[in-house]
Amino acid sequence: MTLWKWRVKNRRIFVVASIIALLGIWLASSFVLTIDVVGDFRVEAVEIKEDLANRGLKPWKLKRSIDIEEITSSFLNTHKNFEYIDIEFIGTKAIVDLVEKEKMEKIYDKSLPVDLIAKKDAIIQDILIINGTSNVAIDQEVKKGDLLVKGEVLSTQINEENEEEIFIHYIHAKAKVMGLVKYSEELDIRKVKILDEDSYKINRVIHIGDLVINFLGSDENYYYHSSEEKKFSVFGFKVPIKMNKIKYYDRENCVDKTKEELEQEVIEKAKEQFLEIGQIQNIEILSMKEESNINKVLVEVSVLEEISEEQLLN
């Protein structure tokens, strides 16, 4: 082999190796390898990562197959104590930025004059004024944005003509205003209780566009509303194909819950969902309708919570 041919051969090997290396780098950068959760919140970051993994954001996931809008929307819908979530890809890292609701409040410098306004519709239950002048009374109904505490105090002074003059001093209002806030929420409650949770059949339902392929008929089995959904993509591009993994239980293994059991489960689920917001005062079931083996329960939850936020005075 001549020197010229040897050089050409080695250059070809180098070019091919370089192309393979570049493809490897490109392919690796197309995946999420690590996930960082940032922000000021009280929940453990590990719990957040586990939750996001169940929604489709996890290591070794192709970036283009991750539906950020769906993940953020479902996350906020589930976690009422969070106001904001943002997911950004930097290289092979996914940065998840979280802000709890109470952290979104505007906090101004203590030297600046501010009023306190209502951040939610509520009925005033208690007021503790530290600085400022109250503008509302106990049991008064307020709307979001209503003035609760004025950032001002009055003083009087006798002038040279022996007349009383009133002066207004603008200050940084500070108070604790507790209000009763009512929330409406629809909860999904299983209609039956399963005697043996480990005794079930697995059915896989494939959806190809509008075509549904069901491998197990539901006539002989009781359908339990539990489904793990998997969406498919080709080279990172979503295709109109998905598969649902569904649990089926024998009818003999299912017993209808009593009215008392259903109501108790509704109360426990509502408490779990709203406990982080404030002190739950009352849970009222407004309506209940059956859909398949699920009860759609509309509840009204009354929560006692701090409702004031600062507003800068002009």
Side-chain angles (χ1 to χ4, degrees), residues 44 64 129 234 244 268 290:
E44 291 291 335
R64 283 184 284 183
I129 303 292
V234 178
N244 286 1
E268 290 176 358
E290 293 184 11

Side-chain angles (χ1 to χ4, degrees), residues 163-204:
E163 295 177 343
E164 186 178 71
E165 290 187 54
I166 299 176
F167 296 91
I168 300 177
H169 305 276
Y170 296 101
I171 61 172
H172 191 101
K174 186 177 181 181
K176 186 173 184 179
V177 185
M178 302 298 292
L180 192 66
V181 182
K182 293 185 177 181
Y183 298 89
S184 293
E185 189 76 15
E186 187 176 70
L187 304 175
D188 288 348
I189 305 296
R190 198 197 312 181
K191 189 174 66 175
V192 301
K193 56 183 176 182
I194 308 299
L195 301 178
D196 184 2
E197 290 280 358
D198 296 325
S199 178
Y200 58 83
K201 297 178 182 178
I202 291 292
N203 183 26
R204 289 175 173 81

Side-chain angles (χ1 to χ4, degrees), residues 69-93:
E69 184 176 346
E70 182 179 335
I71 291 173
T72 54
S73 176
S74 64
F75 183 89
L76 292 176
N77 188 51
T78 302
H79 300 279
K80 304 293 184 182
N81 56 315
F82 283 98
E83 182 82 26
Y84 172 84
I85 177 173
D86 180 59
I87 301 173
E88 181 183 5
F89 297 126
I90 301 178
T92 58
K93 182 184 293 185

Side-chain angles (χ1 to χ4, degrees), residues 107-120:
I107 305 298
Y108 295 100
D109 187 276
K110 300 302 180 184
S111 63
L112 297 174
V114 299
D115 288 331
L116 296 182
I117 62 173
K119 58 185 177 183
K120 298 178 180 180

Side-chain angles (χ1 to χ4, degrees), residues 95-189:
I95 306 295
V96 181
D97 189 11
L98 286 169
V99 179
E100 284 187 291
K101 283 188 176 180
E102 61 188 59
K103 304 299 180 183
M104 290 289 288
E105 298 174 10
K106 295 178 180 177
I107 305 298
Y108 295 100
D109 187 276
K110 300 302 180 184
S111 63
L112 297 174
V114 299
D115 288 331
L116 296 182
I117 62 173
K119 58 185 177 183
K120 298 178 180 180
D121 296 353
I123 299 174
I124 303 299
Q125 300 295 298
D126 190 29
I127 309 172
L128 175 62
I129 303 292
I130 299 172
N131 290 321
T133 304
S134 177
N135 195 55
V136 291
I138 302 296
D139 293 330
Q140 180 177 335
E141 186 174 340
V142 296
K143 298 292 183 182
K144 180 179 179 180
D146 284 354
L147 179 61
L148 302 177
V149 179
K150 292 184 284 186
E152 61 180 44
V153 290
L154 303 179
S155 66
T156 59
Q157 185 176 342
I158 304 299
N159 59 24
E160 295 178 352
E161 298 175 356
N162 203 30
E163 295 177 343
E164 186 178 71
E165 290 187 54
I166 299 176
F167 296 91
I168 300 177
H169 305 276
Y170 296 101
I171 61 172
H172 191 101
K174 186 177 181 181
K176 186 173 184 179
V177 185
M178 302 298 292
L180 192 66
V181 182
K182 293 185 177 181
Y183 298 89
S184 293
E185 189 76 15
E186 187 176 70
L187 304 175
D188 288 348
I189 305 296

